[in-house]
Amino acid sequence: MVRSMRRLVGASGIAALALALAGCGLTVPSDPDGTLETVSGGVLAVGVTPNPPFTETDDADDEEPSGTEVTLVESFAASIDAELSWTVGSEEDLVRQLEEGDLDLVIGGITEQTPWAAHAAPTRAYAQALQPDGSTTGVVMLTPMGENAFLAALEQHLDEAAP
């Protein structure tokens, strides 16, 4: 009986807290820096590092990148009514720009074993990549740390659109 009361009070308390937070205009997940709100109907700044077939870049400055991840990002941008701005570079440079707030997303066939996980928030693995030893590993995209609404929206899109 006491356990049942604790569960009831615990569940009621959580529900009351959720309602109180909703009344304050707080949403979960949220973006402390407002990434999803900023890019929706605006510009989604994407860093891309070459890694065929996920991402391919041309040496010509006027060429947009291509590849399977580029197609996914294009469909995500369309789903939030965002224009795309591409920046080509090394993973290290792009992650630095992501941390500084100059980019909203980094792509390039990045695996779930990425050393950049301490500097950026990886999505859930949405595809598999063949490794040199014949094994496979998950492929992720990198988003700014703490921008959970943006990450959740991107992951939902990847769940729906990824092959």
Side-chain angles (χ1 to χ4, degrees):
M1 173 79 171
V2 171
R3 285 186 193 169
S4 297
M5 290 296 283
R6 284 185 190 159
R7 282 189 206 140
L8 181 59
V9 170
S12 297
I14 290 171
L17 178 60
L19 285 172
L21 289 175
C24 295
L26 296 177
T27 58
V28 176
S30 65
D31 286 343
D33 292 332
T35 300
L36 183 59
E37 185 177 335
T38 300
V39 300
S40 295
V43 176
L44 176 62
V46 182
V48 58
T49 191
N51 189 358
F54 301 101
T55 53
E56 298 183 45
T57 58
D58 193 340
D59 291 335
D61 290 335
D62 58 345
E63 291 291 320
E64 289 190 2
S66 61
T68 56
E69 281 190 330
V70 171
T71 300
L72 285 170
V73 170
E74 289 171 339
S75 66
F76 174 63
S79 76
I80 59 171
D81 193 31
E83 292 185 30
L84 287 164
S85 171
W86 301 101
T87 300
V88 177
S90 67
E91 284 184 20
E92 181 176 3
D93 185 47
L94 296 174
V95 169
R96 181 187 49 74
Q97 290 182 58
L98 186 71
E99 285 183 299
E100 292 174 355
D102 297 329
L103 294 175
D104 304 306
L105 181 63
V106 174
I107 63 172
I110 300 165
T111 67
E112 58 192 345
Q113 286 84 28
T114 180
W116 303 113
H119 303 273
T123 62
R124 290 189 300 271
Y126 69 88
Q128 294 293 309
L130 185 62
Q131 299 298 291
D133 66 2
S135 65
T136 59
T137 188
V139 177
V140 300
M141 296 180 184
L142 301 177
T143 66
M145 289 287 228
E147 297 301 286
N148 297 322
F150 177 70
L151 177 61
L154 176 59
E155 286 181 333
Q156 180 179 355
H157 183 78
L158 292 173
D159 289 346
E160 295 168 357

